[in-house]
Amino acid sequence: AQTVTQSQPEMSVQEAETVTLSCTYDTSESDYYLFWYKQPPSRQMILVIRQEAYKQQNATENRFSVNFQKAAKSFSLKISDSQLGDAAMYFCAYKSGGGGADGLTFGKGTHLIIQP
Amino acid sequence: AAGVIQSPRHLIKEKRETATLKCYPIPRHDTVYWYQQGPGQDPQFLISFYEKMQSDKGSIPDRFSAQQFSDYHSELNMSSLELGDSALYFCASSLDEKTQYFGPGTRLLVL
């Protein structure tokens, strides 16, 4: 079974600075997808970014980018120019590839605090 | 853009009662997933459906059942409710089985 580990229960960053959230995973599969979801106090789960394992290029979405190291099974999220609205719980998630409707396996989450 | 709709948004039940949660996926999405998130926990996958057939099964208790209907909406039926079933229940939908888009969740409180 796949596992996802987020070793930082909580991170704090000053507004406008850059922060990196860590995620590692364990799998024997070669085809899979990795995601970062954001859960603000409203508890809505919001997709931040997606990475396909077969793509070497790191995904980027505006101020959000990932550092995907397949051999090291590492998938970190970098948030640039942090804003107050970025304050939330961030979950790293894994999904098997192969075309099935497999469920996501989540890490325990990192609580991100933005200091004004 | 249209999002996943879940109803009800809040539900209070007594122990041993039953509950039915409904999920309406994003239009044209044919795959539905159910997750349970306890307080301070990460979401746990329960079950998924693709084209009205059960596709994958996670840690869903035997007291729970679910189905997907011809219009692709899905219902999660929960019987003999226990205090530990109090949680936020998410439905998510996808079109390409790669990316799942989550609904706002149903907060279930069992007293």
Side-chain angles (χ1 to χ4, degrees):
Chain A
Q2 296 79 28
T3 59
V4 178
T5 302
Q6 294 179 248
S7 58
Q8 307 153 315
E10 187 174 278
M11 291 282 284
S12 181
V13 64
Q14 293 284 337
E15 195 176 1
E17 293 189 345
T18 296
V19 63
T20 298
L21 308 184
S22 301
C23 173
T24 59
Y25 58 95
D26 188 25
T27 184
S28 59
E29 299 175 334
S30 58
D31 183 20
Y32 52 87
Y33 303 92
L34 296 165
F35 305 86
W36 280 97
Y37 282 88
K38 167 185 177 181
Q39 188 173 43
S42 67
R43 300 198 72 187
Q44 171 80 51
M45 290 291 284
I46 302 166
L47 176 67
V48 175
I49 202 163
R50 179 183 90 179
Q51 176 77 44
E52 290 90 338
Y54 62 84
K55 288 188 177 179
Q56 292 186 329
Q57 186 173 7
N58 290 322
T60 299
E61 288 287 343
N62 300 314
R63 298 182 296 106
F64 299 87
S65 61
V66 299
N67 183 3
F68 174 49
Q69 301 290 326
K70 191 172 184 179
K73 295 181 181 173
S74 171
F75 182 60
S76 60
L77 174 69
K78 185 172 82 171
I79 305 174
S80 304
D81 185 26
S82 298
Q83 301 176 359
L84 294 178
D86 295 333
M89 184 70 80
Y90 286 80
F91 290 99
C92 179
Y94 173 102
K95 183 189 180 303
S96 295
D102 299 327
L104 296 171
T105 299
F106 287 90
K108 296 301 182 186
T110 296
H111 182 211
L112 179 63
I113 299 168
I114 310 294
Q115 304 280 4
Chain B
V4 176
I5 297 171
Q6 291 188 245
S7 68
R9 295 291 309 278
H10 302 271
L11 191 59
I12 300 175
K13 291 287 185 178
E14 299 281 339
K15 280 195 311 184
R16 292 180 289 277
E17 286 190 326
T18 62
T20 297
L21 309 185
K22 297 185 178 183
C23 169
Y24 298 86
I26 293 171
R28 293 186 293 111
H29 283 199
D30 52 13
T31 308
V32 169
Y33 309 78
W34 286 97
Y35 292 84
Q36 177 192 58
Q37 185 180 29
Q41 303 293 316
D42 56 292
Q44 295 294 313
F45 170 67
L46 295 178
I47 195 165
S48 64
F49 292 87
Y50 168 67
E51 284 290 345
K52 293 152 281 185
M53 298 288 290
Q54 181 182 309
S55 181
D56 191 18
K57 197 170 182 180
S59 51
I60 185 168
D62 292 340
R63 300 177 289 108
F64 294 6
S65 65
Q67 58 182 322
Q68 186 180 32
F69 295 86
S70 57
D71 64 351
Y72 295 105
H73 95 272
S74 178
E75 295 183 4
L76 177 66
N77 298 292
M78 310 160 70
S79 62
S80 301
L81 286 169
E82 301 173 356
L83 296 179
D85 296 328
S86 295
L88 183 59
Y89 290 84
F90 285 109
C91 172
S93 73
S94 69
L95 176 62
D96 58 6
E97 296 179 341
K98 294 177 184 178
T99 303
Q100 298 176 26
Y101 298 93
F102 283 72
T106 294
R107 295 176 189 258
L108 172 65
L109 178 61
V110 181
L111 300 176

